Amino acid sequence: MEIISYCIENENDYAAAVERFGVSYQQIYSWVRKYNEKGIEGLVDKRGKRKSESEMTEAEKLRTENRILEARNRRLKTENALLKNSRNSKGGGTERSKTRISLHLCSENARRWVCNNRDL
């Protein structure tokens, strides 16, 4: 906040703030812009934090639901391919069995992702 105050008090002299505080021009500019747009709340670090459903816009809710459905669709396609391969396979250590194992692992990863992201 000290850097932002200094910059604003000196008529947005970013170069002086860079020299005084040793922070990059882009960073100071970004902080001042966020402060001017949203006040102190604009400076809160929100990286890696998900919005609750009540904070999401309708478009964000739809995008989230779409991502979950796409992951589910990929998982089901993988499972279908796995089932087809297992029906057509006559056993043995062929390339086909390696494919089945890979498909199974992909399916498990997709299933875990969907289960862990249901609340998005």
Side-chain angles (χ1 to χ4, degrees), residues 12 23 29 34 36-37 42-43 48-49 59 75-76 78 85 91 106 111 117 119:
N12 291 343
V23 178
Y29 178 82
K34 288 177 182 178
N36 286 335
E37 289 174 3
L43 300 173
K49 296 180 184 166
R75 178 184 56 82
L76 291 172
T78 302
N85 279 340
C106 289
R111 184 177 298 123
N117 295 287
D119 296 330

Side-chain angles (χ1 to χ4, degrees), residues 69-81:
L69 291 173
E70 285 173 347
R72 181 172 181 247
N73 193 27
R74 283 191 302 274
R75 178 184 56 82
L76 291 172
K77 283 181 179 180
T78 302
E79 286 179 5
N80 283 337

Side-chain angles (χ1 to χ4, degrees), residues 38-99:
K38 297 183 181 178
I40 196 77
E41 182 65 28
L43 300 173
V44 175
D45 184 6
K46 296 178 183 174
R47 293 177 294 181
K49 296 180 184 166
R50 295 186 181 130
K51 292 181 179 179
S52 68
E53 192 171 333
S54 63
E55 294 175 317
M56 289 182 169
T57 65
E58 191 62 32
E60 289 171 326
K61 288 177 186 178
L62 291 172
R63 273 194 298 274
T64 300
E65 184 179 358
N66 192 34
R67 270 190 241 123
I68 291 169
L69 291 173
E70 285 173 347
R72 181 172 181 247
N73 193 27
R74 283 191 302 274
R75 178 184 56 82
L76 291 172
K77 283 181 179 180
T78 302
E79 286 179 5
N80 283 337
L82 175 64
L83 290 171
K84 279 184 182 179
N85 279 340
S86 67
R87 282 189 211 137
N88 296 335
S89 175
K90 294 181 183 174
T94 65
E95 190 64 34
R96 185 175 273 164
S97 64
K98 291 179 187 173
T99 302

Side-chain angles (χ1 to χ4, degrees), residues 9-22:
E9 288 168 6
N10 290 288
E11 299 174 7
N12 291 343
D13 188 353
Y14 300 108
V18 167
E19 191 174 308
R20 179 168 180 187
F21 295 100

